[in-house]
């Protein structure tokens, strides 16, 4: 929202979820377990935070080999509910804008006996309670970063089928998908729609390193938003669409930055 930002940080040794208040500049730690909690998403009503955690995988294996589930935490009383509770790897959960349904990524369909880092991932949806977990697109590939349009009519995502990541749009009503951003020899990743669904923002390495881009949905016209030797990743619009938050390694470590459209594209770190 326009008042706070939820993010993950390993400042205490493992990954935890934090909230940064944009008004007071104060940071509040949301999760405190010894496990890793990542990829936070706050419900539109601000009552819950969804994230990925490996706390239920107690095997003595490395961080990258642990399986992850999707949890829902009440921001008022701190109660936590495991929504997927599988042996597979589930992550990147985002609700629709009514908080009725959740879209997420899972490797549960790939039953090959290969390293977890070699598994193929797919897009699934489920109800907010965790019920009715359904495969969205049954076509082989490496899928990621799904996000609902604000009218809940579409789901945007990226997919790698032939060596490079492309951005696609899935129609919830028609159950069809179409590729909307594709660059030969380059990756286009992490689409996120604006509040009025007129544009999407994403990141691409088409010019050498990862920079932020914005595309008009109607005209397909693309605009480069950042120009920096570092990598700018995972953009997301603010609630009003006047700002884009993203993270970047332009100063060494990955930090959170904000691009402000109301101030001639001013970029500031947080």
């Amino acid at each position: 929202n326009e008042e706070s930002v939820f993010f993950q940080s390993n400042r205490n040794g493992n990954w935890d979820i934090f909230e940064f208040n944009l008004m007071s500049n104060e940071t509040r730690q949301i999760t405190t377990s010894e496990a890793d909690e990542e990829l936070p998403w706050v419900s539109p009503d601000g009552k819950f935070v969804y994230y990925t955690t490996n706390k239920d995988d107690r095997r003595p294996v490395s961080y990258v080999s642990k399986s992850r589930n999707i949890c829902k935490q009440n921001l008022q009383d701190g109660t936590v509910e495991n929504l997927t509770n599988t042996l597979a790897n589930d992550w990147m959960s985002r609700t629709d804008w009514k908080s009725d349904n959740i879209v997420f990524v899972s490797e549960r369909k790939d039953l090959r006996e290969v390293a977890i880092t070699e598994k193929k991932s797919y897009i699934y949806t489920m109800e907010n309670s965790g019920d009715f977990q359904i495969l969205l697109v049954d076509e082989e590939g490496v899928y990621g970063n799904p996000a609902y349009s604000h009218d809940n009519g579409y789901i945007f995502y990226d997919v790698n089928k032939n060596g490079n990541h492309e951005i696609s749009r899935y129609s919830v009503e028609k159950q069809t998908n179409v590729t909307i951003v594709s660059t030969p020899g380059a990756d286009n990743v992490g689409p996120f729609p604006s509040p009025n669904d007129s544009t999407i923002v994403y990141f691409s390495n088409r010019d050498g390193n990862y920079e932020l881009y914005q595309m008009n949905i109607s005209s397909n016209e693309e605009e480069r938003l950042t120009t920096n030797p570092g990598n700018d990743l995972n953009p997301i619009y603010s609630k009003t669409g006047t700002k884009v938050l993203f993270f970047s390694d332009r100063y060494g470590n990955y930090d959170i930055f904000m691009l402000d459209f109301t101030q001639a594209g001013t970029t500031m770190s947080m």
Side-chain angles (χ1 to χ4, degrees):
N1 55 38
E2 298 293 322
E3 297 181 357
S4 63
V5 176
F6 285 75
F7 64 97
Q8 68 183 65
S9 174
N10 63 355
R11 61 186 63 182
N12 296 325
N14 62 301
W15 291 105
D16 280 307
I17 307 300
F18 295 81
E19 179 186 12
F20 177 75
N21 189 298
L22 295 170
M23 305 302 167
S24 66
N25 289 333
E26 296 179 345
T27 301
R28 176 171 70 112
Q29 186 167 345
I30 303 298
T31 63
T32 57
S33 77
E34 296 181 359
D36 296 289
E37 284 85 28
E38 305 174 84
L39 304 173
W41 172 265
V42 180
S43 60
D45 60 12
K47 295 180 179 180
F48 299 93
V49 59
Y50 301 79
Y51 54 80
T52 295
T53 180
N54 59 15
K55 68 180 179 181
D56 291 326
D57 188 343
R58 296 179 175 84
R59 296 176 299 160
V61 296
S62 66
Y63 161 77
V64 296
S65 297
K66 285 184 175 293
S67 62
R68 297 174 291 175
N69 284 299
I70 294 169
C71 285
K72 171 184 176 182
Q73 180 169 330
N74 188 307
L75 288 171
Q76 296 299 317
D77 59 24
T79 55
V80 178
E81 179 183 1
N82 188 331
L83 297 180
T84 51
N85 199 25
T86 68
L87 297 177
N89 221 8
D90 303 322
W91 72 95
M92 189 55 75
S93 56
R94 288 169 169 169
T95 65
D96 64 25
W97 296 94
K98 294 182 180 178
S99 294
D100 292 333
N101 299 290
I102 299 170
V103 64
F104 65 101
V105 182
S106 178
E107 294 172 349
R108 63 184 67 183
K109 187 176 183 292
D110 190 343
L111 302 179
R112 297 176 299 154
E113 294 184 1
V114 297
I116 195 169
T117 54
E118 299 178 17
K119 293 275 190 180
K120 293 186 181 297
S121 55
Y122 296 84
I123 304 295
Y124 287 76
T125 59
M126 62 180 169
E127 292 185 352
N128 194 21
S129 61
D131 294 331
F132 301 104
Q133 299 177 25
I134 301 172
L135 177 66
L136 194 69
V137 181
D138 191 8
E139 186 176 350
E140 186 172 292
V142 178
Y143 294 75
N145 300 291
Y148 279 95
S149 61
H150 284 69
D151 64 6
N152 295 327
Y154 296 93
I155 296 173
F156 296 89
Y157 60 88
D158 58 65
V159 58
N160 184 343
K161 298 178 183 177
N162 302 303
N164 290 111
H165 288 271
E166 303 173 330
I167 294 175
S168 293
R169 182 178 63 182
Y170 176 86
S171 170
V172 175
E173 179 182 2
K174 298 179 181 179
Q175 298 184 8
T176 57
N177 61 86
V178 59
T179 300
I180 59 173
V181 182
S182 179
T183 307
D187 292 316
N188 298 282
V189 189
F192 195 86
S194 62
N196 62 6
D197 289 326
S198 64
T199 62
I200 59 169
V201 66
Y202 53 95
F203 61 100
S204 175
N205 63 355
R206 65 185 66 178
D207 294 314
N209 63 309
Y210 283 109
E211 302 285 358
L212 304 189
Y213 290 79
Q214 182 173 250
M215 188 189 79
N216 185 290
I217 298 296
S218 298
S219 67
N220 293 329
E221 182 179 354
E222 295 178 273
E223 176 188 7
R224 183 171 172 174
L225 299 180
T226 60
T227 303
N228 190 278
N231 291 298
D232 300 332
L233 310 170
N234 287 31
I236 185 171
Y237 286 103
S238 65
K239 190 173 183 179
T240 61
T242 59
K243 302 177 181 67
V244 170
L245 274 74
F246 62 98
F247 65 86
S248 174
D249 65 352
R250 57 180 63 184
Y251 297 145
N253 294 325
Y254 277 104
D255 292 307
I256 300 173
F257 292 79
M258 183 168 63
L259 178 66
D260 192 342
F261 293 128
T262 67
Q263 299 183 28
T266 301
T267 303
M268 64 189 74
S269 60
M270 297 172 56

